[in-house]
């Protein structure tokens, strides 16, 4: 072998070794992480994603970029994110609707909440409130129910699309009351709330994080919170039990998922970053001030989230099956 050829080969070997060393030491993440929010900006899923994502970015050492992909009650964004390359750079903020209720309402759903994801962890529990526009002709839940029963055809409900949390929880409410109002679909409860404040729709059921500032500001009426206890964030709002509708008990949640088959290194780092965010005093205060319930250490593991998803799909299937036919074909605003 010529001396020149030997030198060339040695050079190539050195380069290959350097590339190997780089690959081994180039720790994930090397670039920003996209967190898909399957609803419009400004609503509960978006708010929770931004609060938690901001702190996760600090731990990951890369920015977490929120991408709002709204439509079809959150299933459009989750479908797209579930089909993203499973490299940890695309993750999503799902919730009780997208990963619990949707299979009951979308016979052709393109994902299986229990099988097509790598669970990262629960981000927040979110009590549900029944809220009405400021000018609604009733001030408490009993008056609201009486009005709905007598004038249901004149009343409109705002929700975030078939299978969303707002749609699901108000479907439950309307089936318990036997009421049938108009139901208007939005691309998230951020825009739905804007119309409620403006008085263009009459009422809705929504996750607490969206509502606290508007209730405190007197811009909408809070009729009841559907949890056994009042929320420390809204101590003056009665529970459904106190307000005369004890059977209406429902809470929602938001959680971070990655596509199925995301590599362990990325998953471990995402799980750790979420855990750290939920331990951070500043992040906790922001979530608590908006009425979220922060999961404890055992409640925020991937295994706990997987269990939750499975039990939620089983819980909502029978409740929503009958509502499915009636719910299809809603107009979208
Ligand atoms: N809270 C909404 C829902 O009803 C969605 C959103 O976060 O805007 O599912």
């Amino acid at each position: 072998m010529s001396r020149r050829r030997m030198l060339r080969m040695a050079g190539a070997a050195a380069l290959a070794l350097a590339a190997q060393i780089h690959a081994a030491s180039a720790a994930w993440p090397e670039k920003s992480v996209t967190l898909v929010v399957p609803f419009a900006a400004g609503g509960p899923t978006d708010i929770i994603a931004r609060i938690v994502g901001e702190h996760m970015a600090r731990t990951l050492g890369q920015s977490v970029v929120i991408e709002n992909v709204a439509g079809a009650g959150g299933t459009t964004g989750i479908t797209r994110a579930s089909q993203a390359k499973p490299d940890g750079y695309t993750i999503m903020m799902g919730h009780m609707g997208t990963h619990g209720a949707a299979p009951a309402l979308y016979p052709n759903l393109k994902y299986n909440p229990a099988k097509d994801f790598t669970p990262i962890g629960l981000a927040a529990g979110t009590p549900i409130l029944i809220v009405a526009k400021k000018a609604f002709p009733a001030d408490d839940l009993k008056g609201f129910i009486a009005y709905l029963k007598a004038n249901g055809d004149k009343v409109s409900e705002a929700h975030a699309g078939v299978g969303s949390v707002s749609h699901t929880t108000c479907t439950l409410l309307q089936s318990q009351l036997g009421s049938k109002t108009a139901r208007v679909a939005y691309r998230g409860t951020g825009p739905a709330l804007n119309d409620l404040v403006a008085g263009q729709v009459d009422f809705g059921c929504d996750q607490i994080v969206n509502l606290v500032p508007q209730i405190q500001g007197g811009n909408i009426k809070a009729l009841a919170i559907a949890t056994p206890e009042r929320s420390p964030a809204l101590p003056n709002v009665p529970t459904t039990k106190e307000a005369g509708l004890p059977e209406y008990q429902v809470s929602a949640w938001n959680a971070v998922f990655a596509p199925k088959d995301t590599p362990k290194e990325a998953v471990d780092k995402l799980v750790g970053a979420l855990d750290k965010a939920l331990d951070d005093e500043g992040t906790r205060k922001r979530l608590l001030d908006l009425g979220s319930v922060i999961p404890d250490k055992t409640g925020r593991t991937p295994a706990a989230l997987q269990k939750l998803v499975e039990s939620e799909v089983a819980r909502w299937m029978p409740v929503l099956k009958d509502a499915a036919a009636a719910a299809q074909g809603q107009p979208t605003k």
Side-chain angles (χ1 to χ4, degrees), residues 207-287:
Q207 297 172 266
I208 191 166
V209 292
N210 207 23
L211 307 170
V212 170
Q214 297 293 3
I215 292 169
Q216 284 170 344
N219 300 322
I220 53 172
K221 284 178 184 169
L223 299 169
I225 184 164
T227 41
E229 307 287 337
R230 293 187 180 204
S231 167
L234 290 169
N236 297 328
V237 176
T239 64
T240 44
K241 188 165 173 224
E242 292 169 321
L245 191 64
E247 63 272 34
Y248 188 63
Q249 293 288 329
V250 65
S251 279
W253 47 268
N254 281 86
V256 181
F257 297 86
K260 185 172 132 179
D261 297 330
T262 299
K264 186 173 178 329
E265 185 198 0
V267 172
D268 288 349
K269 289 202 174 153
L270 288 165
V271 170
L274 176 62
D275 184 43
K276 225 167 161 186
L278 297 180
D279 278 344
D280 174 71
E281 275 316 310
T283 306
R284 292 179 71 85
K285 182 169 173 1
R286 288 172 75 191
L287 289 170

Side-chain angles (χ1 to χ4, degrees), residues 27-60:
W28 188 94
E30 288 184 294
K31 56 178 186 180
S32 62
V33 172
T34 298
L35 175 52
V36 173
V37 167
F39 293 101
T45 309
D46 186 70
I47 293 169
I48 294 169
R50 282 172 203 275
I51 294 175
V52 169
E54 202 179 292
H55 196 278
M56 286 177 77
R58 277 189 247 164
T59 306
L60 296 172

Side-chain angles (χ1 to χ4, degrees), residues 124-320:
T126 58
I128 296 295
L129 278 91
I130 307 167
V131 288
K133 69 179 180 185
K134 200 172 165 182
F136 196 89
D139 287 323
D140 59 17
L141 190 62
K142 280 198 175 135
F144 169 81
I145 294 170
Y147 188 85
L148 223 61
K149 287 190 171 163
N151 303 283
D153 54 338
K154 296 194 197 83
V155 177
S156 59
E157 174 216 311
H159 63 78
V162 171
S164 63
V165 163
S166 43
H167 173 266
T168 305
T169 54
C170 254
T171 297
L172 186 65
L173 177 71
Q174 298 234 31
S175 80
Q176 284 182 0
L177 297 179
S179 58
K180 261 203 168 81
T181 70
R183 307 190 73 184
V184 188
Y186 291 75
R187 295 171 72 76
T189 45
L193 184 66
N194 289 343
D195 272 11
L196 193 68
V197 170
Q200 281 160 9
V201 278
D202 297 313
F203 81 103
C205 309
D206 199 11
Q207 297 172 266
I208 191 166
V209 292
N210 207 23
L211 307 170
V212 170
Q214 297 293 3
I215 292 169
Q216 284 170 344
N219 300 322
I220 53 172
K221 284 178 184 169
L223 299 169
I225 184 164
T227 41
E229 307 287 337
R230 293 187 180 204
S231 167
L234 290 169
N236 297 328
V237 176
T239 64
T240 44
K241 188 165 173 224
E242 292 169 321
L245 191 64
E247 63 272 34
Y248 188 63
Q249 293 288 329
V250 65
S251 279
W253 47 268
N254 281 86
V256 181
F257 297 86
K260 185 172 132 179
D261 297 330
T262 299
K264 186 173 178 329
E265 185 198 0
V267 172
D268 288 349
K269 289 202 174 153
L270 288 165
V271 170
L274 176 62
D275 184 43
K276 225 167 161 186
L278 297 180
D279 278 344
D280 174 71
E281 275 316 310
T283 306
R284 292 179 71 85
K285 182 169 173 1
R286 288 172 75 191
L287 289 170
L288 292 171
D289 284 352
L290 294 175
S292 331
V293 179
I294 299 174
D296 62 17
K297 287 277 189 197
T298 51
R300 56 176 99 136
T301 63
L305 177 55
Q306 180 65 28
K307 250 199 178 146
L308 177 67
V309 167
E310 287 166 18
S311 68
E312 288 286 75
V313 171
R315 171 164 83 111
W316 286 104
M317 195 58 93
V319 177
L320 293 171

